[in-house]
Each structure stands twice: as structure tokens, then as C-alpha cells.
Amino acid sequence: MNTAAETPEQQARNFRLLLIGCIGVVYGDIGTSPLYAFKEAAHHLTGGGFNPVEIYGILSLIIWSLILIVTIKYVLFLLRADNRGEGGTLALMAMVKKNLLKVSPKYSGFVFLAGIFGAALFYGDSAITPAISVLSAVEGLNLVTPAFEKWVLPISLIILTALFATQRGGTEKISKYFGPVMLVWFITLGVLGLYWMVKNPSIFLTFNPYYAVYFLATHGVIGLTVLGSVFLAVTGAEALYTDLGHFGRKPIQRAWFFLVFPALVFNYLGQGAMVLITQGAIENPFYLMVPESLLVPFVILATTATIIASQAVITGAYSLTQQAIQLGLLPRLEIKHTSANNHGQIYLPKINTLLFFAVVLLCLVFQNSSNLAAAYG
């Protein structure tokens, strides 16, 4: 479409559509990390108890990870480093190699290996994210009644099987609902967090990086273990860069600054405030923030959000594979276009099958989100 011929009203409407779309696709993964990131980081301290300074330290690590890794590294810098409008690890590798060959080709081998390693990590994230996200969401049923505990894994496997089975039909018809659902999700995250933050304003101390540094300096090996779990809070950051070609830099940046980042920070701070107020409600702090009467509908909303998050990384794996084939890094694979209007919507049967078996294997081996989070960290 020729944007020069569009009226200002049409341009504004198209921008809003891109904004809503990127909320659903780009931020699905990182948007569901509050389900498990703080819980898993804090679990490492429960053996010997914990104090407010430790909670401040963990939350400070999470907040500054979001600021340094996501906001500064990805949103402000990497989004400007596009390869003909495309982003992602392999796009960055191709761009750097092209420029290095003009200056000093001796480093091109290192850049190539770094690109392959980054792509491999993204494939790993594409398998881990659906498993840990859906398991974490469905585990909220345990708070409704302990009788659901034995059904968490079967229900999760049924949801994941349905998710991968529907890939062959494409996501064009349902993707228009992703953005509005995730918009409701982020608003709910922020409101829940704000409710508990107001009850304990001292939680704002976690913005002081001193608590993060002090925590790492005084907890030795435990501090490094906690840091591994803290990085669960930034899973999905690569999606910001990978989907650059689909949505453009400005919608991704504005969605982060005006909605996603505040909602995530509010929710993490709310979880910490709730734990301090209740003196140890750390078994599942995310769901314990929710009023008991709203728990079941909230589990349904969380499960829907994790399905959308899983769809985002699966689609990202398809796009990454297509880039790898074009660069000659992978043999030719069958690529099916699932949309008559959007060239970027593709389906790779072999990648879908491999991812499905990887996700199921992770669920069966680790059984629950806590075990999987420990392995991820």
C-alpha cells in the first residue's frame, strides 16, 4: 500500500491496528512471564526464610533486567539495527557480516557462529515457552481445589496438542483477537499490581539498584541461582527484534513504553508487596493476588494469554527457519503460505512437528513449571 496516498485519518487507523497487533504478537511471551518469574526466583530463598531486603533485591534485579536488557538494549538500540527492514538474530548476523567484509573479514567466522548460537537459543525458547507458560497458567487450578493437581499436566498437554494441531490452518482468522485479549491481559496485570502496591508503598524502594547489587554480593551461589530465574522475566525480548519487519519500530516502542513495561513493573511490584503483607504467600504469588471469587475466570484469561504467547514464539520459529533457508544455513523445507493477504504468515510442517514433540517431552520430563524454570535458569 502506498502510504503517501493515505489520508492522516487512514494513517492513524493503520498505526492503531499495528499497535494492537504487536501487543498480541510481539509481547505475548514476555507478557506472561509474571506467572512464574518472581515465584521461581523467590522459591530459592524459602528454605531459610526471607526478609524484606531479599524481596527488594529480587524485584530490583527483575526491574533493572527489564530496563537494561529490554528497554535499553532492544527497544532503544537494536530496533534501529534493521537489515532492509527485517530484524532478528540471523538478520543482524547478515548485516554485520556484510559490513565486516568491507573492513576486516577475519571476524566474519565469529559473527557467523554467534548468529547460529543465537538462533539455536531462540529455537530453545520456542520449545520452552509453550511448556512453561501453559503449565504455569493451568497450575492456577490448584488454588481452586487441590483435586485439580493431578489434572494439570493432562490438561496442559491437551491444550498444547490443540495449539500445534491448528497451526496448519494459519492464524489469520483468529490473530485479530490476539491484540484485544492481550490488551485486557496487560491492563489486568497493571490493576492487580497497583492494588497491592498501594497497600505497601515501601515496595517502590526496589527501583534503587543498590538492593540488586547488595543481594548478589551477599548471597553467593544462591544469588547466581536466583539471577538465572530472574532472566525468566525477559524471555521473549528477542521477539521485539524478530518481529521488526512485521510491525515496524514505532508501534513496538510505543506499546512497550505506554502499556507493556508499566503493566509488568506494576505486577511484579504488586507480587512483592503482597508477599511482604501476607508474610510468606510465596507458593504462587501471581494467583494469590487475585480475589478468590475471580480466580477461575482469571485462570481462563491467563491460559488464553499463554496460548497467544506460545503462538507468537511458534510463528517466530517459522520465520527464523525461513531466514535460515534463504541464507543457506538449513536445507530446503516445505513452506506453506496460510494467508492470501499477508505474505509473512507461513507454516512449516516439519518444524511444527519437531517443536510439538520437544514441548511434549519437556512437559513429561519436568512435570511442572517450577522444575522447568529451574532447568531454564
Side-chain angles (χ1 to χ4, degrees):
M1 181 180 291
N2 184 8
T3 56
E6 292 180 344
T7 65
E9 291 77 11
Q10 289 174 323
Q11 292 178 10
R13 179 179 178 274
N14 289 335
F15 184 82
R16 285 195 298 270
L17 291 175
L18 284 173
L19 194 63
I20 296 296
C22 80
I23 290 171
V25 175
V26 175
Y27 292 111
D29 190 356
I30 198 170
T32 53
S33 58
L35 279 163
Y36 45 81
F38 174 70
K39 176 186 75 172
E40 300 306 332
H43 272 178
H44 296 295
L45 303 177
T46 55
F50 59 87
N51 57 56
V53 174
E54 289 178 324
I55 296 299
Y56 294 161
I58 293 173
L59 289 173
S60 187
L61 285 168
I62 290 175
I63 289 171
W64 282 98
S65 294
L66 291 172
I67 293 173
L68 296 175
I69 296 175
V70 184
T71 305
I72 296 178
K73 176 185 173 183
Y74 280 99
V75 177
L76 293 181
F77 284 95
L78 275 182
L79 286 182
R80 298 178 180 274
D82 64 281
N83 184 26
R84 297 178 181 178
E86 293 294 330
T89 300
L90 295 182
L92 181 63
M93 180 195 75
M95 182 177 62
V96 173
K97 280 188 68 178
K98 181 176 65 177
N99 286 281
L100 271 179
L101 288 174
K102 299 176 183 178
V103 182
S104 177
K106 64 180 181 179
Y107 295 110
S108 61
F110 171 77
V111 172
F112 174 78
L113 291 176
I116 296 299
F117 182 67
L121 291 178
F122 186 83
Y123 280 122
D125 195 25
S126 299
I128 291 174
T129 293
I132 192 172
S133 298
V134 174
L135 280 170
S136 297
V138 178
E139 282 169 356
L141 293 173
N142 291 336
L143 299 179
V144 178
T145 170
F148 275 116
E149 185 173 358
K150 64 180 180 180
W151 293 103
V152 169
L153 183 59
I155 292 173
S156 299
L157 290 174
I158 291 171
I159 292 172
L160 290 167
T161 301
L163 173 65
F164 281 94
T166 56
Q167 293 301 309
R168 68 180 68 241
T171 60
E172 184 176 29
K173 293 181 180 179
I174 61 173
S175 60
K176 61 183 178 181
Y177 301 109
F178 286 1
V181 171
M182 293 307 296
L183 180 63
V184 172
W185 171 254
F186 282 117
I187 292 173
T188 306
L189 288 184
V191 171
L192 272 177
L194 189 60
Y195 170 79
W196 286 98
M197 287 161 57
V198 170
K199 290 189 171 186
N200 187 2
S202 67
I203 202 69
F204 284 101
L205 290 171
T206 57
F207 279 101
N208 187 343
Y210 163 80
Y211 289 101
V213 176
Y214 178 79
F215 181 88
L216 292 177
T218 56
H219 283 75
V221 176
I222 292 294
L224 293 176
T225 305
V226 169
L227 187 61
S229 296
V230 164
F231 277 111
L232 289 166
V234 297
T235 59
E238 176 68 17
L240 277 73
Y241 192 35
T242 303
D243 288 318
L244 177 61
H246 295 159
F247 297 99
R249 176 164 52 89
K250 288 185 178 180
I252 295 174
Q253 287 180 328
R254 291 194 185 180
W256 175 255
F257 284 115
F258 292 105
L259 176 67
V260 180
F261 180 62
L264 291 176
V265 170
F266 284 5
N267 194 265
Y268 282 122
L269 293 183
Q271 289 187 49
M274 188 272 298
V275 167
L276 292 176
I277 291 171
T278 57
Q279 290 297 306
I282 211 162
E283 177 188 354
N284 202 330
F286 179 82
Y287 280 119
L288 290 172
M289 287 198 299
V290 182
E292 190 173 349
S293 60
L294 298 177
L295 190 56
V296 172
F298 201 80
V299 170
I300 295 173
L301 175 62
T303 304
T304 305
T306 58
I307 292 172
I308 293 173
S310 302
Q311 178 63 61
V313 293
I314 293 169
T315 303
Y318 297 158
S319 298
L320 184 68
T321 303
Q322 185 181 45
Q323 288 184 42
I325 293 171
Q326 292 169 347
L327 293 171
L329 301 177
L330 285 176
R332 288 187 175 274
L333 298 172
E334 182 183 7
I335 299 176
K336 295 182 178 181
H337 292 271
T338 59
S339 171
N341 303 314
N342 190 339
H343 183 72
Q345 291 197 15
I346 57 177
Y347 167 66
L348 283 77
K350 285 185 171 59
I351 298 300
N352 189 66
T353 301
L354 288 172
L355 277 180
F356 171 69
F357 282 119
V359 170
V360 170
L361 182 63
L362 286 172
C363 290
L364 293 176
V365 170
F366 292 98
Q367 297 288 310
N368 60 60
S369 63
S370 294
N371 292 339
L372 191 53
Y376 184 95

